[in-house]
Amino acid sequence: GHPLRLRIGCHSGPVVASVVGNQTLRYCLFGSTVNIASRLELTSRPNYIHLSTRMRALLLQHDPDAWRGRIVPRISSRGRGPGGKDLHTNTYWLLHHDPAADIPDSPLAYGEEEEA
């Protein structure tokens, strides 16, 4: 078999929940929070957790020592803000490694191959 390669995007904020469908009911979440998390997932690398600035702040607020050395900056992400304006925001990788180890500038230093 092939190894499982997950991409995860995490953001925090308000959402609207609803059950949709006529024959097969589904529970769905809607809103910009869901869209941002989805965009983070799409721009993540396999086997990485991609965090928004808001999610990073919440993790550090909850227990800063637990996350020390595990949240590292990623390059600026480009997206669309209110009114369709270009929006640049900083995002972060949540890493699982020895916090005492040196932190590379890029996840590529952890052995990920550049995707075409």
Side-chain angles (χ1 to χ4, degrees), residues 95-108:
L95 305 177
H96 177 73
H97 69 88
D98 180 1
D102 289 333
I103 300 170
D105 292 334
S106 166
L108 296 177

Side-chain angles (χ1 to χ4, degrees), residues 70-107:
R70 293 188 58 207
I71 299 176
V72 297
R74 180 189 182 269
I75 59 168
S76 180
S77 291
R78 184 170 179 234
R80 296 284 181 193
K85 295 180 181 179
D86 281 344
L87 176 67
H88 294 274
T89 183
N90 293 324
T91 60
Y92 301 85
W93 298 114
L94 176 61
L95 305 177
H96 177 73
H97 69 88
D98 180 1
D102 289 333
I103 300 170
D105 292 334
S106 166

Side-chain angles (χ1 to χ4, degrees), residues 10 49 51-67 71 94:
C10 293
I49 299 173
L51 303 176
S52 68
T53 302
R54 181 181 293 175
M55 192 70 213
R56 173 187 177 267
L58 289 170
L59 290 173
L60 293 175
Q61 177 184 350
H62 175 69
D63 188 356
D65 291 332
W67 305 109
I71 299 176
L94 176 61

Side-chain angles (χ1 to χ4, degrees), residues 5-88:
R5 294 172 54 103
L6 296 176
R7 295 180 312 175
I8 300 172
C10 293
H11 183 61
S12 180
V15 296
V16 174
S18 179
V19 176
V20 297
N22 291 329
Q23 294 179 355
T24 304
L25 299 178
R26 296 180 307 171
Y27 186 77
C28 294
L29 298 175
F30 303 95
S32 63
T33 299
V34 176
N35 295 338
I36 292 169
S38 177
R39 193 172 309 121
L40 289 167
E41 179 267 329
L42 288 171
T43 59
S44 186
R45 294 194 179 280
N47 300 324
Y48 281 85
I49 299 173
H50 198 182
L51 303 176
S52 68
T53 302
R54 181 181 293 175
M55 192 70 213
R56 173 187 177 267
L58 289 170
L59 290 173
L60 293 175
Q61 177 184 350
H62 175 69
D63 188 356
D65 291 332
W67 305 109
R68 190 174 320 280
R70 293 188 58 207
I71 299 176
V72 297
R74 180 189 182 269
I75 59 168
S76 180
S77 291
R78 184 170 179 234
R80 296 284 181 193
K85 295 180 181 179
D86 281 344
L87 176 67
H88 294 274

